[in-house]
């Protein structure tokens, strides 16, 4: 009897049922109609370019996002590029995580889109690119650019 009146008291007081906060948060995520997106395009040694737009997470696939980015940055589909989003890695540190599938994109929408989804587009030069990568830069193929450790400087001394 006490349980029945206790649960009706909770319902009558407007308090959410146990676990209701989790359900409400999940429902809020599902009901989001628009996700604001900010994109930074990085290409070789050129200054970065920025674009902002909004997408519907319910109908935006990775393929659709790629087409939006091609049009936004006038890539004409000729350039090879990678997309990553600013999220948290396994250690809880902010890092750019690759968007390789629709599942990755869904994860980005749920975990990293408030107040906006921050994307980075990295243009990979092709052999016929007008901006070839200098030989020295080819040595810096690392998965995480903010963790680059500079090489040791070698100084030549001449004795006269």
């Amino acid at each position: 009897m006490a349980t029945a009146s206790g649960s009706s008291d909770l319902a009558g007081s407007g308090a959410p049922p146990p676990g209701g906060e989790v359900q409400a948060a999940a429902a809020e995520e599902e009901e989001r109609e628009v996700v604001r997106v900010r994109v930074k395009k990085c290409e070789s040694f050129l200054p970065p370019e920025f674009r902002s737009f909004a997408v519907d997470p319910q109908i935006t696939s990775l393929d659709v996002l790629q087409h939006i980015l091609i049009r936004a940055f006038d890539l004409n589909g000729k350039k090879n590029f990678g997309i990553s989003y600013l999220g948290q890695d396994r250690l809880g540190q902010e890092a750019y995580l690759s968007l390789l599938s629709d599942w990755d994109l869904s994860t980005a929408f749920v975990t990293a889109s408030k107040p906006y989804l921050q994307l980075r587009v990295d243009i990979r030069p092709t052999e016929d690119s007008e901006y070839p990568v200098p030989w020295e830069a080819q040595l810096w193929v690392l998965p995480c650019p903010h963790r680059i450790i500079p090489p040791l400087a070698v100084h030549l001394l001449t004795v006269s």
Side-chain angles (χ1 to χ4, degrees):
M1 203 80 153
T3 32
S5 65
S7 62
S8 65
D9 289 339
L10 283 175
S13 68
E21 292 177 15
V22 174
Q23 291 172 350
E28 178 184 329
E29 285 299 327
E30 288 179 17
E31 292 176 10
R32 288 185 70 189
E33 295 178 9
V34 174
V35 170
R36 295 182 305 172
V37 180
R38 292 186 183 172
V39 186
K40 176 181 180 180
K41 181 185 94 169
C42 302
E43 181 175 7
S44 189
F45 296 105
L46 298 174
E49 291 182 47
F50 298 90
R51 300 285 188 276
S52 296
F53 53 88
V55 297
D56 181 345
Q58 303 301 318
I59 60 172
T60 304
S61 65
L62 183 59
D63 188 49
V64 169
L65 179 63
Q66 288 170 339
H67 287 291
I68 291 170
L69 294 171
I70 288 168
R71 292 184 68 192
F73 289 106
D74 195 27
L75 299 177
N76 297 324
K78 297 178 183 175
K79 297 193 179 193
N80 188 14
F81 61 91
I83 308 169
S84 53
Y85 70 97
L86 187 61
Q88 290 188 350
D89 63 12
R90 291 182 181 136
L91 301 174
Q93 302 292 321
E94 274 195 344
Y96 278 96
L97 307 171
S98 295
L99 282 177
L100 302 174
S101 67
D102 288 334
W103 186 86
D104 292 335
L105 183 59
S106 296
T107 301
F109 284 144
V110 171
T111 63
S113 64
K114 288 187 179 177
Y116 54 86
L117 179 61
Q118 190 170 346
L119 298 179
R120 185 177 73 194
V121 173
D122 293 301
I123 305 298
R124 298 180 190 119
T126 58
E127 289 182 20
D128 61 340
S129 173
E130 59 187 274
Y131 302 106
V133 176
W135 182 81
E136 301 84 19
Q138 293 178 10
L139 299 176
W140 292 102
V141 180
L142 296 175
C144 192
H146 68 278
R147 294 185 185 154
I148 293 175
I149 301 170
L152 297 175
V154 177
H155 299 280
L156 297 175
L157 299 175
T158 54
V159 179
S160 41

